[in-house]
Amino acid sequence: MGVGDDASVRARRRFIKAAALVVLGGAQLASAKARRARVVVAGGGFAGATCALQLRRLDTAIDVTLVDPDERYATCPMSDAALVGWRSMQSLTVSRAGLARAGVRYVRDRVASIDAQARHIRLASSKDLAYDRLVVAPGIRFLWDRLPGYGEADSQRMPHAWRAGAQTGLLAAQLRDIDDGGVFAICVPPGLMRCPPAPFERASVVAAYLKQHRPRSKVLIFDANNHFPKQDVFAAAWQEFYPGMIEWIPATEGGAVQRVDASNMTLYTSRGAQRVAVANVIPQQAPGLLAVDAGLASGHGWCPVKPESFESALIENVHVIGDACIAGAMPKSASAANSQALRCARAIVASLREQELPSPQFDSVCYSLLGRDRALAIHGRFAVADGEIRQIDIAQDADQPSPQAQALQAARWYDRIVAESFGT
Ligand SMILES: Cc1cc2nc3c(=O)[nH]c(=O)nc-3n(C[C@H](O)[C@H](O)[C@H](O)COP(=O)(O)OP(=O)(O)OC[C@H]3O[C@@H](n4cnc5c(N)ncnc54)[C@H](O)[C@@H]3O)c2cc1C
Protein backbone atom coordinates (compact mmCIF):
# COMPACT_ATOMS: atom_id res chain seq x y z
CA MET A 1 0.00 0.00 0.00
CA GLY A 2 1.60 3.34 -1.05
CA VAL A 3 1.55 6.77 0.57
CA GLY A 4 -1.24 7.84 -1.80
CA ASP A 5 -3.40 4.90 -0.63
CA ASP A 6 -2.90 5.84 3.08
CA ALA A 7 -3.93 9.39 2.36
CA SER A 8 -7.09 8.31 0.57
CA VAL A 9 -8.04 5.89 3.41
CA ARG A 10 -7.50 8.70 5.96
CA ALA A 11 -9.56 11.07 3.80
CA ARG A 12 -12.31 8.47 3.52
CA ARG A 13 -12.30 7.95 7.33
CA ARG A 14 -12.44 11.72 7.88
CA PHE A 15 -15.38 11.92 5.44
CA ILE A 16 -17.26 9.07 7.18
CA LYS A 17 -16.61 10.64 10.62
CA ALA A 18 -17.76 14.04 9.39
CA ALA A 19 -20.84 12.54 7.78
CA ALA A 20 -21.64 10.68 11.02
CA LEU A 21 -21.28 13.93 12.96
CA VAL A 22 -23.57 15.69 10.53
CA VAL A 23 -26.21 12.94 10.95
CA LEU A 24 -25.79 12.96 14.75
CA GLY A 25 -25.81 16.74 14.85
CA GLY A 26 -28.94 16.83 12.71
CA ALA A 27 -30.67 14.35 15.00
CA GLN A 28 -29.58 16.29 18.10
CA LEU A 29 -30.70 19.51 16.53
CA ALA A 30 -34.07 18.00 15.63
CA SER A 31 -34.60 16.56 19.11
CA ALA A 32 -33.35 19.76 20.77
CA LYS A 33 -35.72 21.69 18.56
CA ALA A 34 -38.56 19.40 19.65
CA ARG A 35 -37.48 19.66 23.30
CA ARG A 36 -37.26 23.40 23.29
CA ALA A 37 -40.10 24.11 20.90
CA ARG A 38 -41.83 27.35 21.83
CA VAL A 39 -45.57 27.51 21.45
CA VAL A 40 -47.27 30.83 22.14
CA VAL A 41 -51.04 30.89 22.67
CA ALA A 42 -52.81 34.22 22.11
CA GLY A 43 -56.04 34.26 24.11
CA GLY A 44 -56.91 32.25 27.23
CA GLY A 45 -60.61 31.42 26.87
CA PHE A 46 -61.93 27.88 26.51
CA ALA A 47 -59.96 27.37 23.28
CA GLY A 48 -56.58 28.89 24.20
CA ALA A 49 -56.43 27.67 27.81
CA THR A 50 -57.36 24.09 26.82
CA CYS A 51 -54.71 24.06 24.11
CA ALA A 52 -51.97 25.42 26.39
CA LEU A 53 -52.75 22.85 29.10
CA GLN A 54 -53.02 19.98 26.64
CA LEU A 55 -49.65 20.82 25.07
CA ARG A 56 -48.06 20.55 28.52
CA ARG A 57 -49.96 17.32 29.26
CA LEU A 58 -48.70 15.78 26.02
CA ASP A 59 -45.11 16.98 26.25
CA THR A 60 -43.67 18.73 29.29
CA ALA A 61 -40.57 19.66 27.27
CA ILE A 62 -42.54 22.16 25.19
CA ASP A 63 -42.19 25.74 26.32
CA VAL A 64 -45.78 27.03 26.38
CA THR A 65 -46.65 30.69 26.93
CA LEU A 66 -50.22 31.95 27.10
CA VAL A 67 -50.93 35.66 26.62
CA ASP A 68 -54.24 37.19 27.74
CA PRO A 69 -54.94 40.64 29.20
CA ASP A 70 -57.40 39.25 31.74
CA GLU A 71 -56.04 37.53 34.83
CA ARG A 72 -59.52 36.27 35.59
CA TYR A 73 -61.89 34.76 33.01
CA ALA A 74 -65.67 34.70 33.40
CA THR A 75 -67.36 31.86 31.53
CA CYS A 76 -70.34 32.55 29.26
CA PRO A 77 -71.68 29.03 29.87
CA MET A 78 -73.97 29.28 32.92
CA SER A 79 -73.89 33.10 32.79
CA ASP A 80 -77.63 33.12 32.02
CA ALA A 81 -78.11 31.35 35.38
CA ALA A 82 -76.12 34.19 36.98
CA LEU A 83 -78.51 36.73 35.38
CA VAL A 84 -81.34 35.45 37.52
CA GLY A 85 -79.36 34.67 40.66
CA TRP A 86 -79.19 30.88 40.33
CA ARG A 87 -75.39 31.11 40.27
CA SER A 88 -72.98 33.84 41.32
CA MET A 89 -70.58 35.42 38.83
CA GLN A 90 -67.81 34.57 41.28
CA SER A 91 -68.60 30.87 40.87
CA LEU A 92 -68.21 31.31 37.09
CA THR A 93 -64.86 33.08 37.24
CA VAL A 94 -61.54 31.24 36.95
CA SER A 95 -57.98 32.40 37.56
CA ARG A 96 -54.81 31.49 35.67
CA ALA A 97 -53.45 29.46 38.62
CA GLY A 98 -54.27 26.13 36.94
CA LEU A 99 -52.15 27.10 33.94
CA ALA A 100 -49.20 27.97 36.17
CA ARG A 101 -49.51 24.64 38.02
CA ALA A 102 -49.22 22.83 34.68
CA GLY A 103 -46.08 24.75 33.76
CA VAL A 104 -47.69 27.15 31.29
CA ARG A 105 -46.10 30.61 31.46
CA TYR A 106 -48.90 33.16 31.74
CA VAL A 107 -48.19 36.65 30.41
CA ARG A 108 -50.76 39.28 31.32
CA ASP A 109 -50.76 41.35 28.15
CA ARG A 110 -52.49 41.74 24.82
CA VAL A 111 -51.01 40.43 21.57
CA ALA A 112 -50.83 43.55 19.41
CA SER A 113 -49.47 42.07 16.17
CA ILE A 114 -48.04 38.96 14.57
CA ASP A 115 -44.95 38.83 12.35
CA ALA A 116 -45.44 35.45 10.70
CA GLN A 117 -42.26 35.77 8.60
CA ALA A 118 -40.00 36.34 11.60
CA ARG A 119 -42.21 34.09 13.78
CA HIS A 120 -42.69 36.48 16.61
CA ILE A 121 -45.51 38.40 18.18
CA ARG A 122 -45.47 41.91 19.57
CA LEU A 123 -47.26 42.54 22.84
CA ALA A 124 -49.15 45.73 23.68
CA SER A 125 -46.36 46.44 26.19
CA SER A 126 -44.00 46.48 23.15
CA LYS A 127 -42.16 43.29 24.16
CA ASP A 128 -41.61 40.64 21.49
CA LEU A 129 -42.07 36.88 21.94
CA ALA A 130 -40.61 34.37 19.50
CA TYR A 131 -42.49 31.21 18.59
CA ASP A 132 -42.13 28.01 16.63
CA ARG A 133 -45.92 27.58 16.60
CA LEU A 134 -48.51 30.20 17.38
CA VAL A 135 -52.08 29.40 18.43
CA VAL A 136 -54.51 32.28 17.95
CA ALA A 137 -57.69 32.03 20.05
CA PRO A 138 -59.09 35.55 20.59
CA GLY A 139 -62.78 34.64 20.47
CA ILE A 140 -65.17 37.16 18.94
CA ARG A 141 -65.40 40.91 18.61
CA PHE A 142 -68.60 42.91 18.26
CA LEU A 143 -69.39 44.80 15.07
CA TRP A 144 -70.55 48.03 16.68
CA ASP A 145 -72.82 50.25 14.61
CA ARG A 146 -73.84 47.48 12.18
CA LEU A 147 -77.12 48.07 13.95
CA PRO A 148 -77.65 51.83 13.59
CA GLY A 149 -77.79 53.54 16.98
CA TYR A 150 -75.96 50.74 18.78
CA GLY A 151 -72.34 51.70 19.45
CA GLU A 152 -70.16 50.39 22.26
CA ALA A 153 -71.26 53.16 24.64
CA ASP A 154 -74.92 52.18 24.11
CA SER A 155 -74.21 48.75 25.58
CA GLN A 156 -74.23 50.45 28.99
CA ARG A 157 -77.95 51.27 28.53
CA MET A 158 -78.80 48.25 26.37
CA PRO A 159 -76.41 45.51 27.56
CA HIS A 160 -75.46 42.61 25.32
CA ALA A 161 -74.13 40.32 28.08
CA TRP A 162 -72.60 38.27 25.27
CA ARG A 163 -69.23 38.37 26.98
CA ALA A 164 -69.65 37.35 30.60
CA GLY A 165 -68.61 39.65 33.43
CA ALA A 166 -69.58 43.29 33.94
CA GLN A 167 -72.19 43.11 31.17
CA THR A 168 -73.88 40.16 32.87
CA GLY A 169 -74.08 42.18 36.10
CA LEU A 170 -75.55 45.16 34.24
CA LEU A 171 -78.29 43.13 32.58
CA ALA A 172 -79.06 41.33 35.86
CA ALA A 173 -79.49 44.69 37.63
CA GLN A 174 -81.85 45.92 34.88
CA LEU A 175 -83.90 42.74 35.18
CA ARG A 176 -84.19 43.19 38.96
CA ASP A 177 -85.37 46.81 38.41
CA ILE A 178 -88.03 46.01 35.81
CA ASP A 179 -91.57 47.13 36.71
CA ASP A 180 -94.30 44.49 36.72
CA GLY A 181 -95.70 44.60 33.18
CA GLY A 182 -92.43 45.89 31.66
CA VAL A 183 -91.07 44.25 28.48
CA PHE A 184 -87.70 42.48 28.45
CA ALA A 185 -86.52 42.42 24.81
CA ILE A 186 -83.81 40.18 23.38
CA CYS A 187 -82.48 41.18 19.94
CA VAL A 188 -80.84 38.34 17.99
CA PRO A 189 -78.48 39.45 15.19
CA PRO A 190 -78.09 37.98 11.69
CA GLY A 191 -74.99 36.00 10.74
CA LEU A 192 -72.74 33.53 12.54
CA MET A 193 -72.71 34.03 16.26
CA ARG A 194 -71.39 32.37 19.39
CA CYS A 195 -73.76 29.84 20.94
CA PRO A 196 -76.86 30.16 18.71
CA PRO A 197 -79.24 28.52 21.27
CA ALA A 198 -78.18 30.90 24.08
CA PRO A 199 -80.67 33.75 23.31
CA PHE A 200 -83.48 31.21 23.73
CA GLU A 201 -81.97 29.84 26.95
CA ARG A 202 -81.86 33.47 28.12
CA ALA A 203 -85.52 33.98 27.22
CA SER A 204 -86.40 30.85 29.26
CA VAL A 205 -84.49 31.80 32.43
CA VAL A 206 -85.68 35.43 32.28
CA ALA A 207 -89.28 34.18 31.92
CA ALA A 208 -88.75 31.90 34.94
CA TYR A 209 -87.60 34.94 36.95
CA LEU A 210 -90.45 37.15 35.74
CA LYS A 211 -93.06 34.46 36.40
CA GLN A 212 -91.98 34.45 40.04
CA HIS A 213 -91.27 38.16 40.59
CA ARG A 214 -93.08 40.21 37.85
CA PRO A 215 -95.85 37.96 36.54
CA ARG A 216 -97.36 40.66 34.25
CA SER A 217 -94.07 41.16 32.36
CA LYS A 218 -93.18 39.59 29.02
CA VAL A 219 -90.13 38.56 27.03
CA LEU A 220 -90.08 39.62 23.36
CA ILE A 221 -87.45 38.03 21.13
CA PHE A 222 -86.72 40.14 18.06
CA ASP A 223 -84.91 37.76 15.72
CA ALA A 224 -83.14 38.69 12.47
CA ASN A 225 -83.43 35.00 11.49
CA ASN A 226 -86.35 32.71 10.74
CA HIS A 227 -85.56 29.68 12.83
CA PHE A 228 -83.39 28.69 15.76
CA PRO A 229 -81.89 25.46 17.15
CA LYS A 230 -84.35 23.04 18.81
CA GLN A 231 -87.14 25.49 18.16
CA ASP A 232 -89.86 22.88 18.71
CA VAL A 233 -88.45 21.83 22.10
CA PHE A 234 -88.09 25.43 23.28
CA ALA A 235 -91.59 26.33 22.03
CA ALA A 236 -93.14 23.34 23.83
CA ALA A 237 -91.34 24.19 27.09
CA TRP A 238 -92.41 27.86 26.85
CA GLN A 239 -96.00 26.82 26.26
CA GLU A 240 -95.91 24.48 29.25
CA PHE A 241 -94.06 26.61 31.80
CA TYR A 242 -94.38 30.24 30.68
CA PRO A 243 -97.65 30.40 28.70
CA GLY A 244 -98.14 33.80 27.06
CA MET A 245 -94.90 35.15 28.54
CA ILE A 246 -92.45 34.65 25.65
CA GLU A 247 -93.10 35.88 22.12
CA TRP A 248 -90.64 35.09 19.33
CA ILE A 249 -90.81 37.39 16.31
CA PRO A 250 -88.91 36.00 13.30
CA ALA A 251 -87.48 38.17 10.50
CA THR A 252 -90.40 37.39 8.19
CA GLU A 253 -92.76 38.92 10.76
CA GLY A 254 -90.68 42.05 11.31
CA GLY A 255 -88.34 40.62 13.95
CA ALA A 256 -85.17 42.13 12.48
CA VAL A 257 -84.31 45.25 14.47
CA GLN A 258 -83.35 48.03 12.05
CA ARG A 259 -82.12 50.63 14.52
CA VAL A 260 -82.25 51.41 18.21
CA ASP A 261 -82.42 54.55 20.29
CA ALA A 262 -80.80 53.79 23.63
CA SER A 263 -81.68 57.24 25.07
CA ASN A 264 -85.39 56.35 25.12
CA MET A 265 -85.14 52.52 25.12
CA THR A 266 -86.79 52.11 21.74
CA LEU A 267 -86.30 49.42 19.11
CA TYR A 268 -87.35 50.06 15.51
CA THR A 269 -88.44 47.24 13.19
CA SER A 270 -90.55 47.07 10.04
CA ARG A 271 -93.53 46.77 12.45
CA GLY A 272 -92.78 50.20 13.91
CA ALA A 273 -91.30 51.47 17.18
CA GLN A 274 -91.33 49.38 20.36
CA ARG A 275 -90.46 50.94 23.72
CA VAL A 276 -89.15 48.40 26.18
CA ALA A 277 -88.06 48.33 29.81
CA VAL A 278 -84.94 46.25 29.15
CA ALA A 279 -83.21 45.81 25.79
CA ASN A 280 -80.70 42.99 25.59
CA VAL A 281 -79.12 43.78 22.22
CA ILE A 282 -76.75 41.09 20.94
CA PRO A 283 -74.48 42.69 18.31
CA GLN A 284 -73.29 41.08 15.09
CA GLN A 285 -70.03 39.19 15.56
CA ALA A 286 -66.69 38.55 13.87
CA PRO A 287 -63.33 37.09 15.02
CA GLY A 288 -61.17 39.00 17.51
CA LEU A 289 -59.40 41.89 15.79
CA LEU A 290 -55.97 40.30 16.22
CA ALA A 291 -56.93 37.49 13.85
CA VAL A 292 -58.21 39.93 11.24
CA ASP A 293 -55.24 42.32 11.48
CA ALA A 294 -52.85 39.38 11.13
CA GLY A 295 -54.48 38.38 7.83
CA LEU A 296 -55.95 35.16 9.22
CA ALA A 297 -59.55 35.95 8.18
CA SER A 298 -60.84 35.43 4.67
CA GLY A 299 -63.63 37.07 2.61
CA HIS A 300 -66.49 35.77 4.79
CA GLY A 301 -64.86 37.42 7.80
CA TRP A 302 -63.89 34.31 9.82
CA CYS A 303 -60.58 32.37 9.88
CA PRO A 304 -60.33 29.33 7.61
CA VAL A 305 -58.25 26.42 8.97
CA LYS A 306 -57.01 23.00 7.92
CA PRO A 307 -59.43 20.68 9.69
CA GLU A 308 -56.82 18.07 10.65
CA SER A 309 -54.61 20.48 12.61
CA PHE A 310 -56.40 23.84 12.85
CA GLU A 311 -53.37 25.37 11.18
CA SER A 312 -54.48 28.49 9.37
CA ALA A 313 -55.32 27.91 5.72
CA LEU A 314 -53.69 31.29 5.06
CA ILE A 315 -50.56 31.52 7.25
CA GLU A 316 -48.07 28.72 8.02
CA ASN A 317 -47.24 27.71 11.61
CA VAL A 318 -50.17 29.71 12.96
CA HIS A 319 -53.22 27.81 14.25
CA VAL A 320 -56.65 29.33 14.87
CA ILE A 321 -59.11 27.68 17.26
CA GLY A 322 -62.38 28.47 19.03
CA ASP A 323 -65.00 31.02 18.04
CA ALA A 324 -62.57 32.89 15.75
CA CYS A 325 -62.15 30.01 13.28
CA ILE A 326 -64.55 28.58 10.79
CA ALA A 327 -64.70 24.86 11.50
CA GLY A 328 -67.20 23.51 8.99
CA ALA A 329 -70.38 22.34 10.68
CA MET A 330 -69.12 22.87 14.24
CA PRO A 331 -70.99 25.51 16.24
CA LYS A 332 -69.26 28.34 18.07
CA SER A 333 -69.44 26.85 21.54
CA ALA A 334 -67.16 26.26 24.51
CA SER A 335 -67.34 22.50 24.03
CA ALA A 336 -66.46 22.82 20.33
CA ALA A 337 -63.59 25.17 21.24
CA ASN A 338 -62.35 22.62 23.79
CA SER A 339 -62.55 19.75 21.29
CA GLN A 340 -60.72 21.79 18.61
CA ALA A 341 -58.04 22.81 21.11
CA LEU A 342 -57.33 19.19 22.15
CA ARG A 343 -56.85 18.24 18.51
CA CYS A 344 -54.77 21.30 17.73
CA ALA A 345 -52.39 20.49 20.62
CA ARG A 346 -52.05 16.88 19.43
CA ALA A 347 -51.39 18.04 15.88
CA ILE A 348 -48.69 20.50 17.01
CA VAL A 349 -46.91 17.84 19.10
CA ALA A 350 -47.16 15.30 16.26
CA SER A 351 -45.76 17.75 13.76
CA LEU A 352 -42.85 18.71 16.05
CA ARG A 353 -42.09 14.99 16.35
CA GLU A 354 -42.72 14.47 12.63
CA GLN A 355 -45.44 11.90 13.40
CA GLU A 356 -48.66 11.17 11.54
CA LEU A 357 -52.04 11.35 13.28
CA PRO A 358 -55.26 9.48 12.52
CA SER A 359 -58.10 11.61 11.19
CA PRO A 360 -59.89 13.46 14.00
CA GLN A 361 -63.40 13.31 15.41
CA PHE A 362 -64.87 16.18 17.37
CA ASP A 363 -67.69 16.55 19.90
CA SER A 364 -69.85 19.42 20.92
CA VAL A 365 -72.63 19.65 23.46
CA CYS A 366 -74.59 22.78 24.31
CA TYR A 367 -76.87 22.74 27.30
CA SER A 368 -79.66 25.30 27.46
CA LEU A 369 -81.45 25.88 30.74
CA LEU A 370 -85.23 25.86 30.32
CA GLY A 371 -85.81 26.57 33.99
CA ARG A 372 -84.02 26.16 37.31
CA ASP A 373 -84.09 22.36 37.26
CA ARG A 374 -84.63 21.52 33.60
CA ALA A 375 -82.39 21.73 30.57
CA LEU A 376 -82.06 20.75 26.95
CA ALA A 377 -78.88 19.31 25.41
CA ILE A 378 -77.83 19.71 21.79
CA HIS A 379 -75.17 17.15 20.92
CA GLY A 380 -73.02 17.04 17.82
CA ARG A 381 -70.32 14.67 16.54
CA PHE A 382 -68.11 15.70 13.68
CA ALA A 383 -65.49 14.13 11.43
CA VAL A 384 -63.37 15.24 8.50
CA ALA A 385 -64.72 14.24 5.08
CA ASP A 386 -63.53 15.64 1.74
CA GLY A 387 -61.36 18.17 3.57
CA GLU A 388 -64.25 19.58 5.62
CA ILE A 389 -65.57 19.10 9.14
CA ARG A 390 -69.02 17.55 8.78
CA GLN A 391 -71.62 16.48 11.29
CA ILE A 392 -71.74 12.68 11.50
CA ASP A 393 -74.69 12.04 13.76
CA ILE A 394 -77.20 13.86 15.89
CA ALA A 395 -78.67 12.34 19.01
CA GLN A 396 -82.38 11.76 18.53
CA ASP A 397 -84.82 13.36 20.94
CA ALA A 398 -86.19 9.90 21.79
CA ASP A 399 -82.78 8.97 23.26
CA GLN A 400 -82.62 12.09 25.40
CA PRO A 401 -82.93 11.81 29.17
CA SER A 402 -85.60 13.85 30.93
CA PRO A 403 -85.16 17.66 31.16
CA GLN A 404 -84.49 17.26 34.90
CA ALA A 405 -81.72 14.70 34.21
CA GLN A 406 -80.29 17.01 31.55
CA ALA A 407 -80.14 19.86 34.09
CA LEU A 408 -78.00 17.65 36.34
CA GLN A 409 -75.86 16.66 33.35
CA ALA A 410 -75.47 20.33 32.43
CA ALA A 411 -74.07 21.12 35.88
CA ARG A 412 -71.68 18.16 35.71
CA TRP A 413 -70.64 19.07 32.14
CA TYR A 414 -69.88 22.62 33.27
CA ASP A 415 -67.65 21.49 36.16
CA ARG A 416 -65.82 19.04 33.92
CA ILE A 417 -65.17 21.39 30.99
CA VAL A 418 -63.98 24.19 33.26
CA ALA A 419 -61.60 21.80 35.05
CA GLU A 420 -60.30 20.39 31.77
CA SER A 421 -59.94 23.77 30.08
CA PHE A 422 -58.45 25.83 32.92
CA GLY A 423 -56.89 23.17 35.17
CA THR A 424 -59.01 24.24 38.14
C1 LIG B 1 -74.84 33.58 27.09
C2 LIG B 1 -73.92 32.53 26.55
C3 LIG B 1 -74.06 31.22 26.97
C4 LIG B 1 -73.22 30.23 26.47
N1 LIG B 1 -73.40 28.95 26.89
C5 LIG B 1 -72.64 27.97 26.37
C6 LIG B 1 -72.84 26.62 26.76
O1 LIG B 1 -73.71 26.30 27.58
N2 LIG B 1 -72.05 25.67 26.22
C7 LIG B 1 -71.08 25.98 25.32
O2 LIG B 1 -70.40 25.05 24.87
N3 LIG B 1 -70.86 27.24 24.92
C8 LIG B 1 -71.60 28.25 25.42
N4 LIG B 1 -71.37 29.55 25.03
C9 LIG B 1 -70.35 29.84 24.00
C10 LIG B 1 -68.94 29.97 24.58
O3 LIG B 1 -68.90 30.91 25.62
C11 LIG B 1 -67.93 30.38 23.50
O4 LIG B 1 -68.14 29.61 22.35
C12 LIG B 1 -66.52 30.18 24.02
O5 LIG B 1 -66.27 31.07 25.07
C13 LIG B 1 -65.47 30.37 22.91
O6 LIG B 1 -64.19 30.25 23.46
P1 LIG B 1 -62.94 31.03 22.83
O7 LIG B 1 -61.77 30.62 23.64
O8 LIG B 1 -62.90 30.85 21.36
O9 LIG B 1 -63.26 32.58 23.05
P2 LIG B 1 -63.38 33.39 24.46
O10 LIG B 1 -63.98 32.55 25.50
O11 LIG B 1 -64.05 34.68 24.12
O12 LIG B 1 -61.89 33.70 24.85
C14 LIG B 1 -61.09 34.56 24.11
C15 LIG B 1 -59.95 35.07 24.99
O13 LIG B 1 -59.01 35.73 24.15
C16 LIG B 1 -58.55 36.89 24.81
N5 LIG B 1 -58.05 37.81 23.79
C17 LIG B 1 -58.75 38.48 22.84
N6 LIG B 1 -57.91 39.21 22.07
C18 LIG B 1 -56.66 38.99 22.54
C19 LIG B 1 -55.37 39.48 22.17
N7 LIG B 1 -55.20 40.34 21.15
N8 LIG B 1 -54.30 39.05 22.87
C20 LIG B 1 -54.45 38.18 23.91
N9 LIG B 1 -55.64 37.69 24.31
C21 LIG B 1 -56.73 38.09 23.63
C22 LIG B 1 -59.77 37.38 25.60
O14 LIG B 1 -59.36 38.20 26.69
C23 LIG B 1 -60.41 36.06 26.05
O15 LIG B 1 -59.93 35.66 27.31
C24 LIG B 1 -72.21 30.56 25.53
C25 LIG B 1 -72.07 31.89 25.10
C26 LIG B 1 -72.91 32.85 25.60
C27 LIG B 1 -72.74 34.28 25.15
Side-chain angles (χ1 to χ4, degrees):
M1 190 185 283
V3 177
D5 288 336
D6 273 344
S8 72
V9 167
R10 276 200 303 274
R12 211 165 49 238
R13 280 194 189 130
R14 270 202 307 275
F15 172 77
I16 290 166
K17 203 170 152 189
L21 278 174
V22 167
V23 170
L24 192 67
Q28 279 172 344
L29 198 70
S31 78
K33 214 172 136 191
R35 264 189 279 115
R36 291 195 226 106
R38 292 154 307 180
V39 181
V40 173
V41 182
F46 279 98
T50 304
C51 190
L53 283 179
Q54 184 66 0
L55 282 162
R56 294 285 305 169
R57 286 183 195 122
L58 292 173
D59 190 342
T60 50
I62 299 179
D63 176 356
V64 183
T65 303
L66 183 141
V67 184
D68 194 301
D70 296 327
E71 256 178 329
R72 298 180 72 73
Y73 174 85
T75 69
C76 283
M78 295 296 171
S79 64
D80 284 332
L83 266 188
V84 293
W86 297 341
R87 288 192 181 237
S88 68
M89 272 319 290
Q90 203 189 354
S91 73
L92 305 183
T93 305
V94 292
S95 75
R96 305 299 183 186
L99 294 170
R101 276 195 298 276
V104 174
R105 189 161 69 101
Y106 168 60
V107 175
R108 187 183 181 188
D109 211 326
R110 176 171 290 279
V111 179
S113 61
I114 298 169
D115 183 340
Q117 284 281 309
R119 290 202 205 172
H120 67 67
I121 57 164
R122 171 140 302 179
L123 303 176
S125 61
S126 296
K127 287 193 204 98
D128 286 347
L129 280 181
Y131 66 81
D132 298 302
R133 293 301 170 102
L134 175 65
V135 179
V136 175
I140 52 162
R141 77 180 193 284
F142 298 121
L143 298 173
W144 303 112
D145 290 317
R146 279 282 172 96
L147 175 62
Y150 195 68
E152 188 166 4
D154 301 299
S155 66
Q156 293 305 304
R157 292 263 301 159
M158 296 181 157
H160 52 76
W162 219 240
R163 195 173 278 136
Q167 278 278 312
T168 318
L170 205 56
L171 190 60
Q174 293 190 357
L175 175 61
R176 281 195 302 273
D177 285 349
I178 202 169
D179 288 332
D180 199 8
V183 168
F184 186 106
I186 301 174
C187 307
V188 184
L192 286 180
M193 63 186 283
R194 84 171 12 165
C195 205
F200 310 96
E201 168 186 78
R202 185 165 287 176
S204 310
V205 304
V206 168
Y209 177 90
L210 295 175
K211 186 177 172 182
Q212 192 181 354
H213 301 284
R214 309 283 192 281
R216 293 192 301 118
S217 286
K218 273 187 79 161
V219 180
L220 290 189
I221 307 168
F222 292 91
D223 199 336
N225 310 286
N226 284 314
H227 55 82
F228 61 89
K230 294 281 177 191
Q231 191 166 335
D232 51 341
V233 184
F234 275 108
W238 295 345
Q239 182 59 36
E240 185 176 353
F241 299 107
Y242 318 113
M245 289 191 75
I246 301 177
E247 187 184 344
W248 173 66
I249 310 160
T252 45
E253 290 170 28
V257 176
Q258 295 167 340
R259 81 182 163 93
V260 303
D261 184 345
S263 65
N264 62 13
M265 296 300 285
T266 304
L267 311 171
Y268 296 87
T269 71
S270 60
R271 290 164 29 139
Q274 169 84 45
R275 248 192 119 166
V276 298
V278 179
N280 170 213
V281 179
I282 303 166
Q284 281 189 51
Q285 294 152 43
L289 199 56
L290 170 68
V292 181
D293 287 349
L296 291 161
S298 67
H300 49 56
W302 299 87
C303 302
V305 291
K306 298 175 189 167
E308 302 278 343
S309 61
F310 285 82
E311 187 176 12
S312 163
L314 305 176
I315 300 181
E316 261 191 341
N317 300 314
V318 179
H319 300 248
V320 188
I321 51 174
D323 284 355
C325 78
I326 189 94
M330 293 185 84
K332 299 196 178 299
S333 70
S335 64
N338 172 274
S339 189
Q340 293 163 9
L342 294 176
R343 174 63 186 196
C344 176
R346 273 191 82 194
I348 288 174
V349 171
S351 110
L352 290 169
R353 293 175 181 165
E354 294 178 4
Q355 291 168 342
E356 295 281 322
L357 278 184
S359 191
Q361 288 206 349
F362 304 99
D363 291 302
S364 154
V365 57
C366 262
Y367 287 96
S368 295
L369 301 175
L370 299 169
R372 188 160 197 160
D373 59 357
R374 51 186 60 241
L376 149 71
I378 303 178
H379 292 273
R381 298 208 76 204
F382 307 85
V384 179
D386 303 326
E388 274 184 27
I389 299 178
R390 300 208 172 138
Q391 182 134 8
I392 49 176
D393 63 35
I394 307 170
Q396 295 305 308
D397 285 348
D399 303 335
Q400 298 254 356
S402 70
Q404 289 83 351
Q406 291 187 64
L408 293 174
Q409 286 173 3
R412 279 198 293 270
W413 166 83
Y414 178 79
D415 291 344
R416 190 180 46 72
I417 198 161
V418 169
E420 184 175 287
S421 302
F422 299 95
T424 55

